[in-house]
Amino acid sequence: MNKKIRRMTELALLTAIALIIYVVELQIPNLSPVAGVKLGLANIITVYAVYRFKWSETALMLLARLLLGTLFSSNPSALLYSLSGGTFCLLGMLLLKKIIPINRLWLCSVFGAVLHNLGQLTAASLIMKTAAVWLYLPPLVLSGCIAGALTGLAAQLVIKRTEKLK
């Protein structure tokens, strides 16, 4: 099979997997009293893609997941928060990838999760025109570190498994 077609197929499958994970995660009740705290399991695929694909391919995959996820969740107002969080996260991880080796990509995921929270809080403060949303920063940073480490370790495991297949 043509290498370009194979790569496009792999990206489409990864986007579908991330979207399925996102939709399944929507069914999990929020266990935290803090609004906005969630595992972000679909980011396993994003972190994997940061280390395996070109930045533009990863960005398109993330954008497709965010747009389709918004459609499936029937919550169009969440798109602004997702886009700002996703953009902060992706840009940060792309920069960090240059200094964090693949065998430590879970660290990149932790920073990405925190950056995602910063992006969402930035959007919230601009939309709501208040700085009060920044009071959520400490619990979001803590939960972001935990969730980022878990999703990063999962992505690292996926990379190890796929390397064995090749």
Side-chain angles (χ1 to χ4, degrees):
M1 184 181 343
N2 182 339
K3 189 175 181 180
K4 193 172 184 176
I5 293 171
R6 180 179 170 89
R7 193 164 182 88
M8 239 194 297
T9 304
E10 190 175 354
L11 282 165
L13 286 171
L14 287 172
T15 304
I17 291 167
L19 191 56
I20 290 166
I21 293 170
Y22 173 78
V23 170
V24 168
E25 189 176 0
L26 284 176
Q27 305 308 310
I28 300 171
N30 191 359
L31 302 173
S32 171
V34 178
V37 172
K38 61 181 214 167
L39 291 172
L41 297 174
N43 291 320
I44 295 168
I45 306 303
T46 306
V47 176
Y48 171 83
V50 163
Y51 277 84
R52 285 290 180 224
F53 293 94
K54 295 177 189 171
W55 73 267
S56 56
E57 294 168 331
T58 304
L60 285 173
M61 186 188 79
L62 178 63
L63 182 61
R65 177 177 62 91
L66 294 177
L67 291 172
L68 291 169
T70 300
L71 183 68
F72 291 150
S73 70
S74 302
N75 189 1
S77 63
L79 182 60
L80 292 172
Y81 298 103
S82 296
L83 278 173
S84 60
T87 302
F88 274 51
C89 174
L90 182 61
L91 291 175
M93 287 196 306
L94 289 168
L95 291 171
L96 288 167
K97 171 186 156 184
K98 296 175 186 297
I99 58 172
I100 297 176
I102 196 166
N103 63 334
R104 298 281 185 259
L105 76 82
W106 67 272
L107 282 171
C108 189
S109 179
V110 169
F111 286 110
V114 171
L115 288 167
H116 188 275
N117 291 334
L118 291 174
Q120 287 186 316
L121 287 174
T122 300
S125 67
L126 292 172
I127 291 168
M128 295 180 197
K129 295 179 176 39
T130 180
V133 296
W134 291 99
L135 294 172
Y136 282 102
L137 185 62
L140 287 178
V141 166
L142 177 63
S143 66
C145 287
I146 295 167
L150 292 173
T151 57
L153 289 169
Q156 202 162 322
L157 183 65
V158 169
I159 283 181
K160 282 183 184 178
R161 298 286 173 138
T162 56
E163 283 176 350
K164 287 181 183 178
L165 293 174
K166 293 178 182 183

